[in-house]
Amino acid sequence: MKFSINREALLKPLLLVSGAVERKSTLPILGNILFVVSEQSLTLTATDLELEMVAYADIDNQGVEGKLTIPARKLLDICKSLPENSLITFTAQDDTVKLCTGRSRYSLSTLPASDFPNIEEWKGDVEFKLLKSELLRLIESTHFSMANQDVRYYLNGMSLESEGNEIRSVATDGHRLAICKISNDSLALPARQVIVPRKGILEIIRLLTPVDEEVNLYLGSNHIRIIDTEFSFTSKLVDGRFPDYRRVLPRNGDKVFVTDKEQLRQVLSRASILSNEKFKGVRLNFSNSLLKITANNPEQEQAEEELEIDFPYDELEIGFNVSYVLDVLSAIKDEQVKFTLADANSSVVIEGADSGEALYVVMPMRL
């Protein structure tokens, strides 16, 4: 088995699949990438048994077709450090593969391709196309609300739902909730809900670019797959039942206030500097024309910020984890942001004043 490939042509698929390589695995083969040479094309596959990434490249094949696995980290480091536009020739012999380019020679140990795990073949029972920019918007609008290492394992991921012409993403960690929906008149989908694990979601964000090109999505009973012209991404799903988030959406909000998003983000960011590092609590005092934001910490330091607002209701004082509110403000694309409040003990609903595409619920804090 012998083939040659330009450094740039190899680096792109190598970087694409490297996200699925297991760093600290007890199985040495999971630290390797599977190379499959067939005619003039090269297929690279990496997996950690939860995710599988496949990418493709064109090569100049000078030998027989074949398969081998190469240590991912070492190969990536070698490719990154080679000069631009180097032509790399791979030659497989016994348990090693030799890389030659210019005056550089490298020899890497390989493991048998027959030992490489393969995510079983499966058929998606729900299939649809979506623009990369739409899928990315759906995920980026909600991913920060996923739990991280929560014992309620079904919260350590994102719920993706299809229904009719709508696709929704939902994430919650029990303290906050994020929902984003996209309608597409060309879709006619069955009602389906799957939970994509946290690692899979972060990998999808890394893979996608906000362009108006379509990708194919396949939802199966245990897997989700995204197929693009450059890559194929497969992730196992979380086996669990996502909570019925519709039941926790606040219905009693009768106080609405709209303000400039960027201005609010700046005053909250400044106040958060002196909040308690562990709990990140800030206090918001609403009066008719003024919003007063205060934060303090165990060192007795205090921050106070004021913002002119229009709030034609009774005075209200409510506390929040400022990080949660700042995450929401960063995700909202509208210039104006709308808060719907009820009282000091009720969750607040935050959304963009214009789009209504995404909706966020943040629970209050006792301060």
Side-chain angles (χ1 to χ4, degrees), residues 246-265:
R246 290 178 182 85
R247 285 192 15 235
V248 300
L249 289 176
R251 303 260 187 264
N252 58 341
D254 55 357
K255 301 174 182 67
V256 177
F257 112 91
V258 179
T259 188
D260 181 83
K261 182 194 74 176
E262 190 52 36
Q263 210 177 359
L264 181 63
R265 198 186 64 76

Side-chain angles (χ1 to χ4, degrees), residues 153-188:
Y153 61 93
Y154 48 83
L155 297 184
N156 301 320
M158 181 182 292
S159 171
L160 286 182
E161 303 171 13
S162 66
E163 191 177 355
N165 69 341
E166 229 177 55
I167 298 159
R168 284 185 297 276
S169 63
V170 188
T172 180
D173 60 6
H175 302 287
R176 53 180 167 172
L177 169 71
I179 306 167
C180 181
K181 64 172 186 286
I182 281 177
S183 299
N184 189 325
D185 292 335
S186 64
L187 295 175

Side-chain angles (χ1 to χ4, degrees), residues 21-57:
V21 174
E22 186 56 70
R23 302 266 190 279
K24 314 183 189 97
S25 175
T26 50
L27 281 173
I29 193 97
L30 296 184
N32 283 20
I33 291 173
L34 175 67
F35 278 62
V36 179
V37 173
S38 173
E39 296 178 350
Q40 300 298 311
S41 76
L42 170 67
T43 304
L44 289 77
T45 307
T47 183
D48 64 359
L49 301 180
E50 296 293 321
L51 304 180
E52 183 185 73
M53 272 298 309
V54 182
Y56 315 95

Side-chain angles (χ1 to χ4, degrees), residues 2-14 35 40-44 56-62 75 79 82 85-90 99-101:
K2 183 180 181 182
F3 65 90
S4 298
I5 185 169
N6 183 287
R7 169 188 177 266
E8 275 59 40
L10 176 62
L11 202 50
K12 190 171 183 185
L14 209 50
F35 278 62
Q40 300 298 311
S41 76
L42 170 67
T43 304
L44 289 77
Y56 315 95
D58 293 326
I59 53 166
D60 173 19
N61 185 12
Q62 302 138 19
L75 178 61
C79 286
L82 286 172
N85 291 314
S86 306
L87 185 70
I88 310 167
T89 301
F90 287 72
L99 279 67
C100 305
T101 174

